[in-house]
Amino acid sequence: MDSKIRLRFLGTRSLYSSPLNSHQEFGGNTNCVVLEEGDQVFIWNAGFGINSYGDELIQQYKSHKQPVTCHLLFSDFSWDNIMGFPFFTPMHFKSSQIYLHTTLLESESRQWLSGVCQKDFSPFNGLSGFPAQISVDSGRHSRTLGSWLMECLTAPSRISPYPTTIWVLTHKSGFRVAFSALGQTSMSEYEALSSALQGVDVLIQSAISTTITDHTMEGRMTFADAVSFAHLCQASQLYLTGFHPQLDDFSLQNAERALNQQAPTATQSKLAKESTIVDLSSYIRTKKAG
Amino acid sequence: MKRNPAPLRIQFHGVRGSRPTHHVGLLQTGGNSTCIEIKTGFDFQLFIDCGSGLLHRKSTPQTQAGSKRYHILITHTHWDHILGIPFFAPLFDPEATITFYASNGSNGTFPELFKRLFTPGHLPYPAKALQAKIQFVTIVPDVPFLVDGHVRVDSIQTNHTAVTLGFKITCGSSSVAVVTDTAPLYPDNLLGDGMLERAEVIGTNAFLTEYQNKMKEFLSGISTLVCDTHFNNQNIKPDWGHSTPDLAIDLCIAGGVPRLLMFHHAPEDLDKQVQEKVRAIATRASQAGVLVDNAREGDEWILKSA
């Protein structure tokens, strides 16, 4: 398998899917971002973006005569982060080994994820009804997974009674990537978190829109909030994702243009586009050389 | 009360089964999950199912856009049919009245399942944000009822998990049936709640005959059948609870239905595969005298009398 380190944006929408003609450039599936390095696969959230990727994984691993092994990292259990989960094709193969990572207790995590697969809402029968080997890795300890060290930070959420989890993956080369669905919080919280994320190479941050206009958006970061947070973290690259489903390509193009016209910072900011594959190898090589 | 002068119209807001899906190769057909609007000419909006299509509706001159009365028939509570509910804007409007009509699920009543959608932690807003007047009506399969005193709804349990309903909507002289989701019915494939038990009581063959007769009666007199054609003859998985174009034609022949609109397209099927379904069934449909087309997102059909 290809050993390049790659980021793939498979679902860029928060709240609900928006499969529309007007959303072709930035995408319409709900939240899912993947970090790949060879056969190491980390999937951040399981919105409907995960489904086409599941089919692809099955094909890819079949051609290498290996069972699928992957890690799913959940920021929280909002519907837009978990609704693709029951339809993730590797869940339906006995040979698949799927690790679910959350910071809640294992029993709580199983309960939340069983909820989305329960018989009334799906053709399945809870988490234990899938043929795949599913392990739930709960808690806030760091662990080494292949060539990556996985750590997590938690922060209170304004939109959920449960904290949101920020996942940080550090490659043995020193390259660091963080996945964050952090919402609006106090300045002291921002400062504490940004201190822990200081100098992160790539920050992937959920940001709903340019402004908060209704109650479904409350508590989320705006694009400007995300840029400020990335600046505090001194992140080299920022990818915004988790856009409001009603924002069409035209609105997002304008938002991206506005971001680029702001005063330059050390952080390169981009809006994620669905189906985009970002090859990070050259960045890592340059960083090593520099 | 305003009379309904025009034939029924049916508009598709979401035509996909299983889940909504976004891909540039399927936008002609549409990627939203199931939602159908039935336009009666009366001062309310009537929908069948609340998939993501409910959230991306395209208005036409016949849309009762000013009305704040909504009637929503739920075939069953699988995600693809209900995931639009939590973001349906009228829920937050204190002047709106929304009536849900549904059967009870395997593990709870529809109001209980509805409440579970709004469990704190799953949604970005508290349940108190729901300001509309929300009402629930429990459907008992085979027992007809009126929506708003004008529109007759007949229901039938389909061959799918739990209690999944097919609906026949009749208003004035026009009538349409929506049968989604349903699988081929044979002795080893009785999927709905209570079906196996009924077959055990009266005998499997007697049950199959009873069901086929009931379905034939249900479909009689309609001008259009909107039917699940998720699979084709090559990829069908009968225990998944879905149908094929051939099985849909069988239903049309049994009920004497002159038009079939194929619906609940598989999320993997790109436009060309969906179009292929019409081509694959064309000869058989023509021989049976059934006009066949695909349901596509945004399309509105006028339902003439049968």
Side-chain angles (χ1 to χ4, degrees):
Chain A
M1 287 183 196
D2 194 342
S3 62
K4 285 177 179 169
I5 297 177
R6 298 190 298 195
L7 268 179
R8 300 183 60 177
F9 295 97
L10 300 159
T12 57
R13 299 287 168 173
S14 282
L15 306 179
Y16 54 89
S17 302
S18 48
L20 306 172
N21 268 313
S22 56
H23 288 48
Q24 288 190 42
E25 184 178 349
F26 289 89
N29 288 308
T30 47
N31 298 319
C32 185
V33 182
V34 169
L35 177 69
E36 294 174 332
E37 185 198 16
D39 58 2
Q40 294 184 80
V41 174
F42 300 94
I43 304 171
W44 183 51
N45 289 325
F48 287 119
I50 199 172
N51 299 112
S52 58
Y53 186 68
D55 297 341
E56 193 188 310
L57 271 183
I58 291 290
Q59 291 310 319
Q60 194 184 335
Y61 277 71
K62 254 187 193 167
S63 67
H64 289 84
K65 296 187 174 140
Q66 285 177 30
V68 171
T69 300
C70 60
H71 297 269
L72 265 72
L73 286 51
F74 293 97
S75 54
D76 59 70
F77 291 121
S78 57
W79 291 130
D80 50 356
N81 289 339
I82 60 174
M83 222 179 253
F85 177 66
F87 303 97
F88 181 48
T89 320
M91 299 278 288
H92 303 271
F93 284 77
K94 226 163 96 177
S95 57
S96 304
Q97 179 72 62
I98 298 169
Y99 298 92
L100 309 177
H101 299 274
T102 84
T103 48
L104 298 184
L105 296 173
E106 181 177 344
S107 57
E108 281 183 306
S109 304
R110 283 188 179 275
Q111 200 179 335
W112 280 102
L113 290 166
S114 282
V116 75
C117 325
Q118 65 175 273
K119 202 179 163 200
D120 285 311
F121 291 146
S122 76
F124 315 112
N125 201 5
L127 202 51
S128 55
F130 292 99
Q133 300 161 60
I134 300 167
S135 310
V136 178
D137 182 10
S138 287
R140 299 175 188 183
H141 56 282
S142 56
R143 46 295 230 186
T144 301
L145 302 167
S147 48
W148 295 86
L149 174 71
M150 183 163 76
E151 298 167 289
C152 57
L153 307 166
T154 58
S157 168
R158 271 182 57 188
I159 56 180
S160 164
Y162 299 94
T164 182
T165 303
I166 300 172
W167 295 99
V168 186
L169 290 164
T170 306
H171 191 249
K172 62 184 180 189
S173 65
F175 170 78
R176 254 189 346 149
V177 57
F179 298 89
S180 164
L182 177 69
Q184 289 175 342
T185 186
S186 63
M187 187 41 80
S188 59
E189 192 77 44
Y190 276 142
E191 281 170 356
L193 290 166
S194 60
S195 164
L197 294 171
Q198 205 55 212
V200 69
D201 293 289
V202 177
L203 172 64
I204 295 145
Q205 173 65 49
S206 280
I208 192 89
S209 184
T210 49
T211 52
I212 302 297
T213 54
D214 71 46
H215 64 275
T216 63
M217 301 158 85
E218 274 170 23
R220 309 241 175 181
M221 276 198 193
T222 63
F223 296 166
D225 294 333
V227 170
S228 302
F229 182 57
H231 184 57
L232 273 180
C233 297
Q234 296 195 349
S236 301
Q237 297 180 43
L238 167 68
Y239 284 94
L240 303 178
T241 186
F243 313 127
H244 192 281
Q246 299 293 350
L247 289 176
D248 60 13
D249 288 339
F250 181 71
S251 311
L252 289 171
Q253 284 159 4
N254 281 339
E256 191 166 50
R257 210 169 295 132
L259 277 186
N260 292 330
Q261 283 167 357
Q262 283 177 3
T265 68
T267 307
Q268 276 185 4
S269 303
K270 286 180 184 165
L271 270 58
K273 291 178 182 171
E274 215 165 280
S275 306
T276 301
I277 300 176
V278 181
D279 182 355
L280 295 163
S281 309
S282 61
Y283 169 85
I284 293 167
R285 271 197 306 274
T286 312
K287 190 186 168 192
K288 260 187 186 170
Chain B
M1 183 60 71
K2 186 179 153 193
R3 285 283 300 150
N4 164 36
L8 286 174
R9 287 168 182 259
I10 181 168
Q11 189 181 11
F12 294 96
H13 297 302
V15 297
R16 291 283 161 183
S18 299
R19 57 184 163 84
T21 180
H22 180 83
H23 188 288
V24 290
L26 50 71
L27 291 169
Q28 270 186 310
T29 308
N32 280 300
S33 69
T34 66
C35 178
I36 296 173
E37 183 171 1
I38 308 285
K39 297 180 178 178
T40 62
F42 290 113
D43 181 27
F44 57 80
Q45 294 186 50
L46 173 62
F47 298 100
I48 298 177
D49 284 341
C50 301
S52 64
L54 183 72
L55 308 171
H56 299 291
R57 304 187 303 282
K58 291 186 183 82
S59 290
T60 69
Q62 282 68 37
T63 304
Q64 294 290 336
S67 172
K68 296 206 170 190
R69 294 190 304 131
Y70 303 87
H71 294 278
I72 302 179
L73 309 174
I74 302 288
T75 60
H76 64 305
T77 55
H78 280 173
W79 283 125
D80 46 338
H81 299 262
I82 62 161
L83 64 86
I85 290 177
F87 298 100
F88 184 45
L91 285 173
F92 313 110
D93 179 353
E95 292 174 15
T97 302
I98 306 170
T99 309
F100 289 95
Y101 303 77
S103 66
N104 290 327
S106 300
N107 300 312
T109 63
F110 181 75
E112 285 165 353
L113 295 175
F114 182 89
K115 204 173 160 192
R116 265 189 247 166
L117 292 176
F118 298 89
T119 305
H122 279 319
L123 286 169
Y125 59 83
K128 68 178 183 197
L130 305 184
Q131 297 284 308
K133 185 180 178 196
I134 300 169
Q135 307 172 133
F136 300 99
V137 174
T138 303
I139 299 177
V140 179
D142 306 329
V143 179
F145 58 95
L146 292 176
V147 168
D148 221 66
H150 298 283
V151 180
R152 177 181 164 127
V153 179
D154 289 81
S155 64
I156 187 169
Q157 184 177 6
T158 64
N159 192 26
H160 195 69
T161 56
V163 180
T164 300
L165 299 172
F167 292 119
K168 177 163 71 172
I169 315 292
T170 307
C171 188
S173 59
S174 43
S175 191
V176 59
V178 175
V179 177
T180 179
D181 311 6
T182 195
L185 190 80
Y186 48 78
D188 292 340
N189 202 46
L190 305 181
L191 305 177
D193 279 5
M195 286 185 165
L196 207 53
E197 292 80 355
R198 175 81 180 146
E200 278 168 9
V201 171
I202 65 169
T204 304
N205 286 339
F207 173 76
L208 297 181
T209 306
E210 177 185 82
Y211 185 87
Q212 281 153 1
N213 288 339
K214 205 196 279 186
M215 183 59 88
K216 188 176 168 182
E217 191 188 327
F218 178 79
L219 297 174
S220 69
I222 62 167
S223 64
T224 303
L225 170 64
V226 178
C227 192
D228 170 6
T229 56
H230 190 102
F231 291 122
N232 57 43
N233 294 341
Q234 285 71 48
N235 66 9
I236 186 168
K237 299 179 179 85
D239 59 336
W240 283 36
H242 293 291
S243 207
T244 66
D246 266 309
L247 291 162
I249 288 282
D250 289 345
L251 286 181
C252 289
I253 293 169
V257 183
R259 179 181 288 281
L260 169 66
L261 293 176
M262 297 194 284
F263 178 70
H264 202 283
H265 307 301
E268 307 78 37
D269 283 355
L270 303 181
D271 290 328
K272 60 183 178 189
Q273 288 151 314
V274 173
Q275 285 152 12
E276 180 54 34
K277 290 202 286 194
V278 175
R279 275 192 291 276
I281 204 71
T283 306
R284 196 166 165 236
S286 163
Q287 284 165 352
V290 179
L291 297 170
V292 179
D293 214 323
N294 280 312
R296 283 179 299 266
E297 212 170 289
D299 281 2
E300 184 170 290
W301 294 78
I302 301 170
L303 303 172
K304 294 181 180 151
S305 306

Coordinates of all heavy atoms in Angstrom, one line a residue, chain B residues 15 139 173 201 244 283 297:
Chain B
V15 N -35.1 10.8 -3.2 CA -35.4 9.6 -3.9 C -34.4 8.4 -3.6 O -34.6 7.3 -4.1 CB -35.5 9.7 -5.4 CG1 -36.6 10.7 -5.8 CG2 -34.1 10.2 -6.0
I139 N -51.1 5.1 13.4 CA -51.7 4.4 12.3 C -51.8 2.9 12.6 O -50.9 2.3 13.0 CB -50.9 4.5 11.0 CG1 -50.8 6.0 10.6 CG2 -51.6 3.7 9.8 CD1 -49.9 6.3 9.3
S173 N -60.8 12.5 -7.6 CA -60.8 11.3 -8.4 C -59.4 10.7 -8.7 O -59.2 9.8 -9.4 CB -61.4 11.6 -9.8 OG -60.7 12.6 -10.4
V201 N -50.1 -19.2 12.2 CA -51.5 -19.5 12.6 C -52.3 -20.0 11.5 O -53.1 -21.0 11.6 CB -52.1 -18.2 13.2 CG1 -53.6 -18.3 13.4 CG2 -51.5 -17.8 14.5
T244 N -37.2 -4.9 -6.6 CA -36.5 -4.7 -7.9 C -37.5 -4.1 -8.9 O -38.7 -4.2 -8.6 CB -35.9 -6.0 -8.4 OG1 -37.1 -6.8 -8.7 CG2 -35.1 -6.8 -7.4
T283 N -39.0 -3.5 -22.1 CA -39.8 -4.5 -22.9 C -40.9 -5.1 -22.0 O -42.1 -5.2 -22.5 CB -38.9 -5.6 -23.3 OG1 -37.8 -5.0 -24.0 CG2 -39.6 -6.6 -24.3
E297 N -35.2 13.7 -8.1 CA -35.4 14.8 -7.1 C -35.9 16.0 -7.8 O -35.3 16.4 -8.9 CB -34.0 15.0 -6.5 CG -34.1 15.5 -5.1 CD -32.7 15.5 -4.5 OE1 -32.2 14.4 -4.2 OE2 -32.1 16.6 -4.3

